[in-house]
Amino acid sequence: MTAASRTRAGRTGRRLSGGLPHALLCALLVSGCGASAARVDGATDAGRRFAAALAAGDHRAACALLAPATREEIEDDGRIPCRTALWEAGPPVAGQPRGTDVYGNEALVRMTGDTLFLSRFDEGWRVTAAGCEPQGGDEPYRCSVKGG
């Protein structure tokens, strides 16, 4: 493993803290109100397309579905191509969506084998974090792919 790989591997294991996904989780737990079917369907479809791209080994297509800050973070500020960095981060290949919670421009998509966080941009829904596992209690999700 190269020094650059070790650095990336160390970063990918960090948990989300103080960022949007943790705030989203709190909003999901407290709010209880739903979003329009179009927003839920849009977020679910983006999650499904991201998972399908990973399953097909098409990391270039998966990178196109990442939020800008997430893409920059995994590319290590341009030092490594996104498709390589995404492959190295190794988010799990997810199955079918099991549920989607959307609040405003943020979404949590629970899939068989993975949990994704997404944000809505002018271009549509983009993945802000993937390979996420709940840590229990008040702890935030731990994600293998996330933005800064």
PDB file of all heavy atoms in Angstrom, residues 37-65:
ATOM      1  N   ALA A  37     -43.970  13.310  -3.521  1.00  0.00           N
ATOM      2  CA  ALA A  37     -43.607  12.046  -4.182  1.00  0.00           C
ATOM      3  C   ALA A  37     -42.533  12.275  -5.235  1.00  0.00           C
ATOM      4  O   ALA A  37     -41.647  11.435  -5.416  1.00  0.00           O
ATOM      5  CB  ALA A  37     -44.842  11.407  -4.802  1.00  0.00           C
ATOM      6  N   ALA A  38     -42.562  13.418  -5.917  1.00  0.00           N
ATOM      7  CA  ALA A  38     -41.568  13.703  -6.958  1.00  0.00           C
ATOM      8  C   ALA A  38     -40.166  13.808  -6.352  1.00  0.00           C
ATOM      9  O   ALA A  38     -39.203  13.303  -6.919  1.00  0.00           O
ATOM     10  CB  ALA A  38     -41.916  14.988  -7.696  1.00  0.00           C
ATOM     11  N   ARG A  39     -40.048  14.436  -5.193  1.00  0.00           N
ATOM     12  CA  ARG A  39     -38.733  14.561  -4.548  1.00  0.00           C
ATOM     13  C   ARG A  39     -38.241  13.198  -4.057  1.00  0.00           C
ATOM     14  O   ARG A  39     -37.083  12.856  -4.209  1.00  0.00           O
ATOM     15  CB  ARG A  39     -38.790  15.545  -3.385  1.00  0.00           C
ATOM     16  CG  ARG A  39     -38.779  16.972  -3.851  1.00  0.00           C
ATOM     17  CD  ARG A  39     -38.710  17.897  -2.644  1.00  0.00           C
ATOM     18  NE  ARG A  39     -38.778  19.267  -3.073  1.00  0.00           N
ATOM     19  CZ  ARG A  39     -37.751  20.103  -3.048  1.00  0.00           C
ATOM     20  NH1 ARG A  39     -36.585  19.691  -2.617  1.00  0.00           N
ATOM     21  NH2 ARG A  39     -37.888  21.327  -3.454  1.00  0.00           N
ATOM     22  N   VAL A  40     -39.145  12.440  -3.451  1.00  0.00           N
ATOM     23  CA  VAL A  40     -38.772  11.110  -2.971  1.00  0.00           C
ATOM     24  C   VAL A  40     -38.344  10.237  -4.148  1.00  0.00           C
ATOM     25  O   VAL A  40     -37.304   9.574  -4.095  1.00  0.00           O
ATOM     26  CB  VAL A  40     -39.941  10.458  -2.189  1.00  0.00           C
ATOM     27  CG1 VAL A  40     -39.647   8.995  -1.893  1.00  0.00           C
ATOM     28  CG2 VAL A  40     -40.210  11.233  -0.902  1.00  0.00           C
ATOM     29  N   ASP A  41     -39.129  10.251  -5.218  1.00  0.00           N
ATOM     30  CA  ASP A  41     -38.787   9.448  -6.404  1.00  0.00           C
ATOM     31  C   ASP A  41     -37.468   9.891  -7.016  1.00  0.00           C
ATOM     32  O   ASP A  41     -36.665   9.059  -7.446  1.00  0.00           O
ATOM     33  CB  ASP A  41     -39.899   9.529  -7.450  1.00  0.00           C
ATOM     34  CG  ASP A  41     -41.166   8.817  -7.020  1.00  0.00           C
ATOM     35  OD1 ASP A  41     -41.134   8.042  -6.037  1.00  0.00           O
ATOM     36  OD2 ASP A  41     -42.213   9.049  -7.676  1.00  0.00           O
ATOM     37  N   GLY A  42     -37.215  11.208  -7.057  1.00  0.00           N
ATOM     38  CA  GLY A  42     -35.966  11.719  -7.625  1.00  0.00           C
ATOM     39  C   GLY A  42     -34.754  11.270  -6.830  1.00  0.00           C
ATOM     40  O   GLY A  42     -33.751  10.839  -7.402  1.00  0.00           O
ATOM     41  N   ALA A  43     -34.844  11.376  -5.512  1.00  0.00           N
ATOM     42  CA  ALA A  43     -33.730  10.950  -4.657  1.00  0.00           C
ATOM     43  C   ALA A  43     -33.518   9.438  -4.759  1.00  0.00           C
ATOM     44  O   ALA A  43     -32.385   8.961  -4.872  1.00  0.00           O
ATOM     45  CB  ALA A  43     -33.990  11.359  -3.206  1.00  0.00           C
ATOM     46  N   THR A  44     -34.612   8.693  -4.731  1.00  0.00           N
ATOM     47  CA  THR A  44     -34.520   7.230  -4.839  1.00  0.00           C
ATOM     48  C   THR A  44     -33.896   6.829  -6.163  1.00  0.00           C
ATOM     49  O   THR A  44     -33.024   5.951  -6.209  1.00  0.00           O
ATOM     50  CB  THR A  44     -35.919   6.587  -4.687  1.00  0.00           C
ATOM     51  OG1 THR A  44     -36.466   6.982  -3.426  1.00  0.00           O
ATOM     52  CG2 THR A  44     -35.842   5.076  -4.769  1.00  0.00           C
ATOM     53  N   ASP A  45     -34.317   7.466  -7.246  1.00  0.00           N
ATOM     54  CA  ASP A  45     -33.776   7.147  -8.563  1.00  0.00           C
ATOM     55  C   ASP A  45     -32.280   7.459  -8.639  1.00  0.00           C
ATOM     56  O   ASP A  45     -31.507   6.668  -9.189  1.00  0.00           O
ATOM     57  CB  ASP A  45     -34.532   7.919  -9.649  1.00  0.00           C
ATOM     58  CG  ASP A  45     -34.035   7.573 -11.029  1.00  0.00           C
ATOM     59  OD1 ASP A  45     -34.058   6.380 -11.397  1.00  0.00           O
ATOM     60  OD2 ASP A  45     -33.606   8.502 -11.759  1.00  0.00           O
ATOM     61  N   ALA A  46     -31.858   8.578  -8.059  1.00  0.00           N
ATOM     62  CA  ALA A  46     -30.429   8.911  -8.065  1.00  0.00           C
ATOM     63  C   ALA A  46     -29.635   7.872  -7.276  1.00  0.00           C
ATOM     64  O   ALA A  46     -28.567   7.443  -7.712  1.00  0.00           O
ATOM     65  CB  ALA A  46     -30.209  10.306  -7.486  1.00  0.00           C
ATOM     66  N   GLY A  47     -30.171   7.450  -6.142  1.00  0.00           N
ATOM     67  CA  GLY A  47     -29.513   6.400  -5.360  1.00  0.00           C
ATOM     68  C   GLY A  47     -29.434   5.096  -6.130  1.00  0.00           C
ATOM     69  O   GLY A  47     -28.404   4.415  -6.122  1.00  0.00           O
ATOM     70  N   ARG A  48     -30.508   4.761  -6.818  1.00  0.00           N
ATOM     71  CA  ARG A  48     -30.557   3.529  -7.620  1.00  0.00           C
ATOM     72  C   ARG A  48     -29.529   3.591  -8.758  1.00  0.00           C
ATOM     73  O   ARG A  48     -28.819   2.621  -9.015  1.00  0.00           O
ATOM     74  CB  ARG A  48     -31.963   3.342  -8.182  1.00  0.00           C
ATOM     75  CG  ARG A  48     -32.167   2.024  -8.893  1.00  0.00           C
ATOM     76  CD  ARG A  48     -33.596   1.893  -9.436  1.00  0.00           C
ATOM     77  NE  ARG A  48     -34.539   1.663  -8.349  1.00  0.00           N
ATOM     78  CZ  ARG A  48     -35.576   2.443  -8.071  1.00  0.00           C
ATOM     79  NH1 ARG A  48     -35.831   3.515  -8.783  1.00  0.00           N
ATOM     80  NH2 ARG A  48     -36.387   2.151  -7.069  1.00  0.00           N
ATOM     81  N   ARG A  49     -29.428   4.742  -9.429  1.00  0.00           N
ATOM     82  CA  ARG A  49     -28.465   4.886 -10.535  1.00  0.00           C
ATOM     83  C   ARG A  49     -27.025   4.805 -10.030  1.00  0.00           C
ATOM     84  O   ARG A  49     -26.164   4.200 -10.670  1.00  0.00           O
ATOM     85  CB  ARG A  49     -28.701   6.189 -11.287  1.00  0.00           C
ATOM     86  CG  ARG A  49     -29.956   6.137 -12.157  1.00  0.00           C
ATOM     87  CD  ARG A  49     -30.150   7.391 -12.995  1.00  0.00           C
ATOM     88  NE  ARG A  49     -30.567   8.497 -12.139  1.00  0.00           N
ATOM     89  CZ  ARG A  49     -29.971   9.692 -12.071  1.00  0.00           C
ATOM     90  NH1 ARG A  49     -28.936   9.965 -12.837  1.00  0.00           N
ATOM     91  NH2 ARG A  49     -30.400  10.622 -11.244  1.00  0.00           N
ATOM     92  N   PHE A  50     -26.762   5.411  -8.862  1.00  0.00           N
ATOM     93  CA  PHE A  50     -25.424   5.343  -8.276  1.00  0.00           C
ATOM     94  C   PHE A  50     -25.066   3.890  -7.960  1.00  0.00           C
ATOM     95  O   PHE A  50     -23.986   3.416  -8.315  1.00  0.00           O
ATOM     96  CB  PHE A  50     -25.373   6.208  -7.010  1.00  0.00           C
ATOM     97  CG  PHE A  50     -24.028   6.229  -6.342  1.00  0.00           C
ATOM     98  CD1 PHE A  50     -22.996   7.005  -6.844  1.00  0.00           C
ATOM     99  CD2 PHE A  50     -23.795   5.486  -5.191  1.00  0.00           C
ATOM    100  CE1 PHE A  50     -21.749   7.037  -6.223  1.00  0.00           C
ATOM    101  CE2 PHE A  50     -22.554   5.500  -4.567  1.00  0.00           C
ATOM    102  CZ  PHE A  50     -21.535   6.283  -5.083  1.00  0.00           C
ATOM    103  N   ALA A  51     -25.985   3.181  -7.320  1.00  0.00           N
ATOM    104  CA  ALA A  51     -25.749   1.769  -6.973  1.00  0.00           C
ATOM    105  C   ALA A  51     -25.558   0.920  -8.224  1.00  0.00           C
ATOM    106  O   ALA A  51     -24.690   0.046  -8.261  1.00  0.00           O
ATOM    107  CB  ALA A  51     -26.905   1.232  -6.138  1.00  0.00           C
ATOM    108  N   ALA A  52     -26.346   1.179  -9.259  1.00  0.00           N
ATOM    109  CA  ALA A  52     -26.235   0.411 -10.510  1.00  0.00           C
ATOM    110  C   ALA A  52     -24.882   0.661 -11.178  1.00  0.00           C
ATOM    111  O   ALA A  52     -24.262  -0.267 -11.703  1.00  0.00           O
ATOM    112  CB  ALA A  52     -27.378   0.763 -11.460  1.00  0.00           C
ATOM    113  N   ALA A  53     -24.417   1.907 -11.139  1.00  0.00           N
ATOM    114  CA  ALA A  53     -23.110   2.220 -11.734  1.00  0.00           C
ATOM    115  C   ALA A  53     -21.995   1.485 -10.992  1.00  0.00           C
ATOM    116  O   ALA A  53     -21.105   0.901 -11.614  1.00  0.00           O
ATOM    117  CB  ALA A  53     -22.866   3.731 -11.714  1.00  0.00           C
ATOM    118  N   LEU A  54     -22.059   1.474  -9.661  1.00  0.00           N
ATOM    119  CA  LEU A  54     -21.047   0.736  -8.888  1.00  0.00           C
ATOM    120  C   LEU A  54     -21.121  -0.755  -9.177  1.00  0.00           C
ATOM    121  O   LEU A  54     -20.093  -1.411  -9.342  1.00  0.00           O
ATOM    122  CB  LEU A  54     -21.233   0.981  -7.394  1.00  0.00           C
ATOM    123  CG  LEU A  54     -20.860   2.365  -6.873  1.00  0.00           C
ATOM    124  CD1 LEU A  54     -21.123   2.440  -5.376  1.00  0.00           C
ATOM    125  CD2 LEU A  54     -19.418   2.717  -7.186  1.00  0.00           C
ATOM    126  N   ALA A  55     -22.337  -1.299  -9.241  1.00  0.00           N
ATOM    127  CA  ALA A  55     -22.511  -2.732  -9.504  1.00  0.00           C
ATOM    128  C   ALA A  55     -21.948  -3.120 -10.864  1.00  0.00           C
ATOM    129  O   ALA A  55     -21.406  -4.210 -11.035  1.00  0.00           O
ATOM    130  CB  ALA A  55     -23.984  -3.114  -9.411  1.00  0.00           C
ATOM    131  N   ALA A  56     -22.055  -2.205 -11.834  1.00  0.00           N
ATOM    132  CA  ALA A  56     -21.548  -2.468 -13.178  1.00  0.00           C
ATOM    133  C   ALA A  56     -20.049  -2.182 -13.291  1.00  0.00           C
ATOM    134  O   ALA A  56     -19.453  -2.388 -14.357  1.00  0.00           O
ATOM    135  CB  ALA A  56     -22.321  -1.620 -14.192  1.00  0.00           C
ATOM    136  N   GLY A  57     -19.445  -1.678 -12.218  1.00  0.00           N
ATOM    137  CA  GLY A  57     -18.029  -1.330 -12.269  1.00  0.00           C
ATOM    138  C   GLY A  57     -17.775  -0.053 -13.052  1.00  0.00           C
ATOM    139  O   GLY A  57     -16.642   0.239 -13.426  1.00  0.00           O
ATOM    140  N   ASP A  58     -18.829   0.733 -13.273  1.00  0.00           N
ATOM    141  CA  ASP A  58     -18.717   1.982 -14.028  1.00  0.00           C
ATOM    142  C   ASP A  58     -18.499   3.138 -13.050  1.00  0.00           C
ATOM    143  O   ASP A  58     -19.412   3.912 -12.752  1.00  0.00           O
ATOM    144  CB  ASP A  58     -19.971   2.199 -14.871  1.00  0.00           C
ATOM    145  CG  ASP A  58     -19.826   3.352 -15.847  1.00  0.00           C
ATOM    146  OD1 ASP A  58     -18.820   4.097 -15.769  1.00  0.00           O
ATOM    147  OD2 ASP A  58     -20.736   3.521 -16.687  1.00  0.00           O
ATOM    148  N   HIS A  59     -17.280   3.230 -12.540  1.00  0.00           N
ATOM    149  CA  HIS A  59     -16.969   4.256 -11.550  1.00  0.00           C
ATOM    150  C   HIS A  59     -17.017   5.656 -12.139  1.00  0.00           C
ATOM    151  O   HIS A  59     -17.257   6.619 -11.415  1.00  0.00           O
ATOM    152  CB  HIS A  59     -15.618   3.957 -10.900  1.00  0.00           C
ATOM    153  CG  HIS A  59     -15.668   2.731 -10.052  1.00  0.00           C
ATOM    154  ND1 HIS A  59     -15.353   1.488 -10.543  1.00  0.00           N
ATOM    155  CD2 HIS A  59     -16.043   2.544  -8.763  1.00  0.00           C
ATOM    156  CE1 HIS A  59     -15.517   0.596  -9.596  1.00  0.00           C
ATOM    157  NE2 HIS A  59     -15.930   1.201  -8.501  1.00  0.00           N
ATOM    158  N   ARG A  60     -16.811   5.775 -13.419  1.00  0.00           N
ATOM    159  CA  ARG A  60     -16.921   7.094 -14.074  1.00  0.00           C
ATOM    160  C   ARG A  60     -18.362   7.599 -13.982  1.00  0.00           C
ATOM    161  O   ARG A  60     -18.599   8.747 -13.627  1.00  0.00           O
ATOM    162  CB  ARG A  60     -16.473   7.002 -15.530  1.00  0.00           C
ATOM    163  CG  ARG A  60     -16.395   8.349 -16.230  1.00  0.00           C
ATOM    164  CD  ARG A  60     -15.944   8.199 -17.679  1.00  0.00           C
ATOM    165  NE  ARG A  60     -14.743   7.401 -17.801  1.00  0.00           N
ATOM    166  CZ  ARG A  60     -13.516   7.894 -17.990  1.00  0.00           C
ATOM    167  NH1 ARG A  60     -13.347   9.179 -18.085  1.00  0.00           N
ATOM    168  NH2 ARG A  60     -12.484   7.095 -18.089  1.00  0.00           N
ATOM    169  N   ALA A  61     -19.334   6.720 -14.257  1.00  0.00           N
ATOM    170  CA  ALA A  61     -20.752   7.107 -14.151  1.00  0.00           C
ATOM    171  C   ALA A  61     -21.127   7.388 -12.700  1.00  0.00           C
ATOM    172  O   ALA A  61     -21.875   8.325 -12.416  1.00  0.00           O
ATOM    173  CB  ALA A  61     -21.647   6.018 -14.737  1.00  0.00           C
ATOM    174  N   ALA A  62     -20.595   6.591 -11.776  1.00  0.00           N
ATOM    175  CA  ALA A  62     -20.875   6.821 -10.357  1.00  0.00           C
ATOM    176  C   ALA A  62     -20.317   8.176  -9.922  1.00  0.00           C
ATOM    177  O   ALA A  62     -20.970   8.912  -9.175  1.00  0.00           O
ATOM    178  CB  ALA A  62     -20.292   5.701  -9.510  1.00  0.00           C
ATOM    179  N   CYS A  63     -19.142   8.528 -10.401  1.00  0.00           N
ATOM    180  CA  CYS A  63     -18.549   9.827 -10.067  1.00  0.00           C
ATOM    181  C   CYS A  63     -19.419  10.982 -10.560  1.00  0.00           C
ATOM    182  O   CYS A  63     -19.512  12.015  -9.897  1.00  0.00           O
ATOM    183  CB  CYS A  63     -17.147   9.946 -10.663  1.00  0.00           C
ATOM    184  SG  CYS A  63     -15.916   9.000  -9.739  1.00  0.00           S
ATOM    185  N   ALA A  64     -20.047  10.816 -11.700  1.00  0.00           N
ATOM    186  CA  ALA A  64     -20.917  11.865 -12.242  1.00  0.00           C
ATOM    187  C   ALA A  64     -22.121  12.105 -11.344  1.00  0.00           C
ATOM    188  O   ALA A  64     -22.750  13.162 -11.420  1.00  0.00           O
ATOM    189  CB  ALA A  64     -21.370  11.495 -13.652  1.00  0.00           C
ATOM    190  N   LEU A  65     -22.443  11.156 -10.472  1.00  0.00           N
ATOM    191  CA  LEU A  65     -23.588  11.285  -9.575  1.00  0.00           C
ATOM    192  C   LEU A  65     -23.192  11.782  -8.184  1.00  0.00           C
ATOM    193  O   LEU A  65     -24.039  11.906  -7.304  1.00  0.00           O
ATOM    194  CB  LEU A  65     -24.319   9.946  -9.468  1.00  0.00           C
ATOM    195  CG  LEU A  65     -24.986   9.500 -10.764  1.00  0.00           C
ATOM    196  CD1 LEU A  65     -25.400   8.043 -10.674  1.00  0.00           C
ATOM    197  CD2 LEU A  65     -26.183  10.392 -11.066  1.00  0.00           C
TER     198      LEU A  65
END
